[in-house]
Amino acid sequence: MRALASPLARLASLTLASATRAHPHCHVSSTRFNRLSTLACPAARHSAHALPAALSAAFSGSSSLASSPPPSADDSPARKRAKMAAAGDAAADAAATGSGSAAGARRIGTHSGTFHCDEAMGCFLLRRTEKFKDADVTRTRDEKTLATLDAVIDVGGVYDPATDRYDHHQKDFKEVFGHGFSTKLSSAGLVYKHYGEEVVAALMGLPKDHAHVRKVYLAVYRSFMEALDANDNGINQFESDKPPRYVITTHLPARVGRFNPDWLDHCSKDGEDAAFQKAMALAGEEFVEAVTYTARGWLPACTIVEDSIAAAVAEHGNAEIITLKQYCPWKGHLSELEGELKLDPLPKYMLYEDDRAKQWRVQAISVAPGSFESRCPLPLEWRSLRDDELSQRSGIPGGVFVHNSGFIGGNLTYEGVLAMAKAGLAAAAAEAASKAAAEAVAKATVAAS
C-alpha cells in the first residue's frame, strides 16, 4: 500500500514547501496539512482482514493509482528532494502545482476562485485514469482558455461526456448516477459515473469488467461519493423543515473548504492554485481509503453473507434462519441481498459465534436497517432470563441470556441457538394463528348480529 500513499505524501510536502517559499504572505496551515505529508497507509488499518489473492496483490503496491512506480534506491523521495533543491525553487513549484509537464500532456480545467470538494475530487479521479494520467490542472473561468483544454470540470455550463465536459450548474441539469440512486450529481459524481470503474479497477488490480469491481464501484458511490454530490447540490440528508440541532464541520467537504484562503488572507493566484492541490490530495487520500476499506472489508463480508444465505436455503428450504460461517458485519449486506435475491419468507434470525465469549448468538433481524423493531423477537417468556433459569423455561440446554427486548439471545452451543431460533419461529406462527382465529370469530360475530 506504500505505493498508494507515498505520491500523496510527496505531493503534500512539495506543495506546502513551494507555497510557503513562493508566497510568504499567503497563510498556509501546516498543522492542518501535516496529516497529508505523514499519511498513514490505509492497508495497515485493515491488515487483519484476508483478501482474495488478486486484491491482496493489488493492495500490496501494484496499483496504478500511484503516479509513478515505487521508487528504487536511486530514486527515493529524499534523493528526489535533493535534486529539486539543486535545481531551484522553480522545479519544486512545478512538481507541486502540476505544471511543467511534458509537451503534449493533456490538460484539465476547473474554475478559479473558491473551490469545493466536488471539483477537487473530480480532478483527482480524472488524473488517475489512463486518458488523463497526471494531467495538468488549469484553474480559470476564461471561456477561451477552457475551450482549449482536454477536460473541464465544474465550470463552463456543459455536460457532455463525449468531450469530457462535466459541469452540473445548468438550469436543466438533472443527471443522476443510476443503479437505483436518485441524488443529483455534482461534478465529482459525473466524473465517477464515467471513469469511476476504471479507477476502482486499477486500485483493485482487476479487469474493469470483473464482477468484484462493479460491486465495489457501486458500494463506494453509496457509502462515499453520493454524500459529496448531495452536499454540493445542497440536498438535505433528512426531509425536514426544522433546523439541525447541531452543525457538523468535520466532513470531507468542510475540510476541503478550509484549504481556501480565509478573509484575512491575501493570497495570489499561484497561492490559491497550490491550496487547491492540497485539497485535491486530501480528497484523493480519502477516496483511496474508501476503496481500500470496501475492497478489503466490505466485499469479503458481502460474499460471506451471500454464501450463508445460499447454505440456509439448501439446509432449511428458505432463509428464515441464517448461520454465518464466519462472523462479519452483516446487517447492511443482508438488507440489500434479501431484496436482490427476492427472499420469501424474509430472514428472521441470524446465528453466529461470539469468538470472544466462545458462545453462540441468535439475533432477531430488524424490520428495516437502523430500526429497533424486530421481525420476529425471541419469545416474551424468555426475555431478561439467564443461564439455568433460561434453560429451564425454554427447555433448551446451555442457555446464556435473552435481552429484555427479545432482539438477541445466547447459548453455549450452535445447536442451542438453532433450537432457540426454531422455537421463536414456532411461537410467532402460533401467535399469528391465534390472532387470525380471534379476528375470524370477531367477523363472524359482527355478521351474525
Side-chain angles (χ1 to χ4, degrees), residues 66-203:
S67 59
S68 60
S72 65
D74 293 331
D75 197 28
S76 64
R79 188 175 293 273
K80 284 186 175 181
R81 287 194 295 270
K83 290 180 179 178
M84 287 181 180
D89 290 350
D93 284 340
T97 61
S99 61
S101 296
R106 291 183 179 270
R107 298 178 298 164
I108 300 169
T110 189
H111 61 80
S112 54
T114 300
F115 50 78
H116 304 97
C117 187
D118 68 321
E119 69 264 25
M121 181 65 73
C123 288
F124 175 86
L125 292 174
L126 270 189
R127 295 184 74 242
R128 268 60 195 175
T129 65
E130 191 63 32
K131 185 176 182 179
F132 294 100
K133 183 177 181 181
D134 301 329
D136 289 343
V137 176
T138 299
R139 300 181 70 245
T140 182
R141 292 186 182 274
D142 181 72
E143 293 183 3
K144 292 182 178 179
T145 300
L146 291 173
T148 67
L149 304 179
D150 300 289
V152 177
I153 297 177
D154 208 44
V155 67
V158 176
Y159 166 51
D160 180 16
T163 57
D164 287 306
R165 263 52 187 170
Y166 302 104
D167 196 9
H168 67 114
H169 295 101
Q170 304 84 287
K171 185 176 181 180
D172 59 348
F173 181 87
K174 298 178 181 178
E175 191 75 11
V176 297
F177 188 66
H179 308 287
F181 296 96
S182 59
T183 300
K184 181 181 174 182
L185 296 179
S186 68
S187 61
L190 286 173
V191 173
Y192 189 76
K193 179 174 183 175
H194 295 284
Y195 287 101
E197 271 187 290
E198 177 187 341
V199 177
V200 169
L203 271 171

Side-chain angles (χ1 to χ4, degrees), residues 32 35 114-118 120 227-228 231-232 247-261 279 282-283 286:
R32 178 174 61 186
R35 66 184 299 268
T114 300
F115 50 78
H116 304 97
C117 187
D118 68 321
L228 305 186
N231 178 276
D232 195 77
V247 177
I248 299 176
T249 60
T250 55
H251 52 69
L252 180 58
R255 286 179 285 123
V256 164
R258 284 197 287 272
F259 282 123
N260 283 289
L282 175 61
E286 300 216 358

Side-chain angles (χ1 to χ4, degrees), residues 250-317:
T250 55
H251 52 69
L252 180 58
R255 286 179 285 123
V256 164
R258 284 197 287 272
F259 282 123
N260 283 289
D262 62 36
W263 67 280
L264 294 173
D265 293 335
H266 301 284
C267 202
S268 68
K269 173 68 165 57
D270 288 346
E272 290 181 357
D273 288 349
F276 181 75
Q277 291 292 324
K278 303 175 195 176
M280 192 165 63
L282 175 61
E285 172 201 349
E286 300 216 358
F287 177 81
V288 170
E289 289 184 349
V291 174
T292 301
Y293 167 75
T294 305
R296 295 185 68 92
W298 179 92
L299 182 60
C302 183
T303 301
I304 290 171
V305 174
E306 192 168 9
D307 290 347
S308 298
I309 291 172
V313 172
E315 181 178 354
H316 307 298

